[in-house]
Amino acid sequence: MMRVAVVGGAGYIGGELLRLLVSHPEVELAAATSRSFAGRAVAGVHPNLRGRTELRFCEPAALGEYDMLFLAAPHRETMRRMPEFLGHAKTVIDLSGDFRLRSPEVYADYYGVPHEAADLLDSFTPGLPEFHREELRTADRISVPGCMATAGILTLAPVARAGLVEGEVTVDARTGSSGSGATAGPGNLHAERSGALRVFAPNRHRHEAEMAQATGLTVRMTASGVEAVRGVQVLCRVRLADGADERALRAAYRTSYQHEPFVRIVAERRGLHRFPDPKILSGSNFCDVGFSVETGSPHALLIGALDNLVKGGAGNAVQAMNIRCGLPEHLGLEFTGLHPN
């Protein structure tokens, strides 16, 4: 059994990590930290865990030594404390944004502050199993991509690597309210969020930089908040390279994902769910990808969808843990989602 701890366990991502880890057959969940809720029962903050764990939150200063440490702490705080975190476990899996970008200059550009641990950036492996599986087998420092970035990368990377698209890519990303975290501001009040379709990042969202880094494409991204609680959907408008068509797109996705346990190609001729839809992915570790090609036009729409808290965060982290520890990738991630929900 691996002894693991979660830093920042009171938030939505932290809670999702706890949900997955408490039921994992190869994990002993030894600690979860929260300054605000230290001493309180984990199940009091995450009521879905009632009867599943007797664990109580502890102060970060009470952390001991573990086999693996999951970090769900805020951006900026994580990079400042990373030397401390590395002393608590041989393997650290970070879900903040602080170690996703390789370039400290790009980080400063998108996050608005200098990187305070730039010397550690190159030591982190991206926690995206579909493209970094072999590196993850021996990685002791893992950085999980952002939720919209994960959806965008899994949607764009196969066609980019196959040389099927050219020029600038436009990404319209939509996300549910849980993406803003458990301590979101007045913009996430029910009265403000209900019924809204609100553009909160008209340009230069930080996940744009992650997509560009992973795919080599020039990406322009807009992010909107939708009424859903969970879910991310990305609509990626691309110009096809000469000779590229619907058949070539499908072949590129099949080549990339035919053996992947958590990516499905969803591009059908008819039916209510003929394209990726985050609603049916709620609670699951799947990412669905699909496409539509305009007849007689060089343009195509590439579509990706996932649960922002699972495949877009905690699920990716657990999948990376399984690979690092030589376990079956699906272990602890078998939930298929609900329909209807």
Side-chain angles (χ1 to χ4, degrees), residues 239-296:
R239 182 179 182 86
L240 298 176
D242 289 344
D245 56 14
E246 182 175 341
R247 181 176 297 181
L249 290 176
R250 190 176 296 275
Y253 283 122
R254 283 179 173 165
T255 298
S256 290
Y257 297 138
Q258 60 183 332
H259 300 301
E260 289 298 335
F262 291 114
V263 182
R264 304 181 297 195
I265 304 168
V266 180
E268 301 173 9
R269 295 291 183 186
R270 59 185 62 84
L272 183 62
H273 299 288
R274 64 187 183 274
F275 295 121
D277 182 349
K279 181 177 173 65
I280 63 171
L281 301 174
S282 184
S284 83
N285 196 50
F286 289 106
C287 177
D288 289 350
V289 297
F291 55 88
S292 177
V293 179
E294 294 182 37
T295 302

Side-chain angles (χ1 to χ4, degrees), residues 7 12 16 29 51 59 66 70 132 143 159 172 214 217 223 233 244 248 251 260 269 272 292-293 298 320:
V7 173
Y12 291 145
E16 201 72 353
L29 183 58
E59 291 279 359
Y66 310 94
F70 290 87
H132 298 278
S143 177
V159 297
D172 175 9
L217 298 169
Q233 184 184 65
E260 289 298 335
R269 295 291 183 186
L272 183 62
S292 177
V293 179

Side-chain angles (χ1 to χ4, degrees), residues 63-260:
L63 282 173
E65 294 187 5
Y66 310 94
D67 298 310
M68 190 166 295
L69 192 66
F70 290 87
L71 306 179
H75 311 317
R76 304 180 185 179
E77 176 184 337
T78 300
M79 62 181 171
R80 290 196 295 270
R81 298 178 60 196
M82 187 56 72
E84 168 198 341
F85 293 141
L86 295 175
H88 288 291
K90 181 176 187 293
T91 303
V92 172
I93 300 182
D94 178 30
L95 288 93
S96 82
D98 284 347
F99 293 90
R100 294 169 181 166
L101 298 173
R102 301 276 72 82
S103 165
E105 291 78 21
V106 174
Y107 178 91
D109 186 22
Y110 275 87
Y111 283 80
V113 295
H115 202 288
E116 297 182 34
D119 58 315
L120 296 177
L121 286 173
D122 288 339
S123 68
F124 278 80
T125 296
L128 191 61
E130 290 75 16
F131 297 115
H132 298 278
R133 182 170 285 106
E134 291 309 309
E135 301 147 81
L136 287 170
R137 296 190 196 282
T138 57
D140 283 327
R141 300 174 184 179
I142 297 168
S143 177
V144 176
C147 55
M148 290 180 283
T150 295
I153 293 166
L154 291 174
T155 303
L156 290 168
V159 297
R161 294 182 178 194
L164 299 180
V165 298
E166 59 184 18
E168 187 173 285
V169 174
T170 301
V171 177
D172 175 9
R174 296 92 176 268
T175 182
S177 58
S178 61
S180 299
T183 57
N188 257 24
L189 293 173
H190 178 74
E192 297 294 340
R193 188 89 188 205
S194 181
L197 180 61
R198 181 171 297 119
V199 177
F200 64 86
N203 49 60
R204 293 187 58 74
H205 190 283
R206 59 190 58 152
H207 291 183
E208 172 184 287
E210 292 182 59
M211 293 183 212
Q213 174 179 270
T215 65
L217 298 169
T218 299
V219 178
R220 305 297 179 198
M221 173 181 162
T222 296
S224 299
V226 299
E227 190 170 9
V229 174
R230 288 176 182 253
V232 159
Q233 184 184 65
V234 293
L235 305 181
C236 309
R237 294 202 171 272
V238 301
R239 182 179 182 86
L240 298 176
D242 289 344
D245 56 14
E246 182 175 341
R247 181 176 297 181
L249 290 176
R250 190 176 296 275
Y253 283 122
R254 283 179 173 165
T255 298
S256 290
Y257 297 138
Q258 60 183 332
H259 300 301
E260 289 298 335

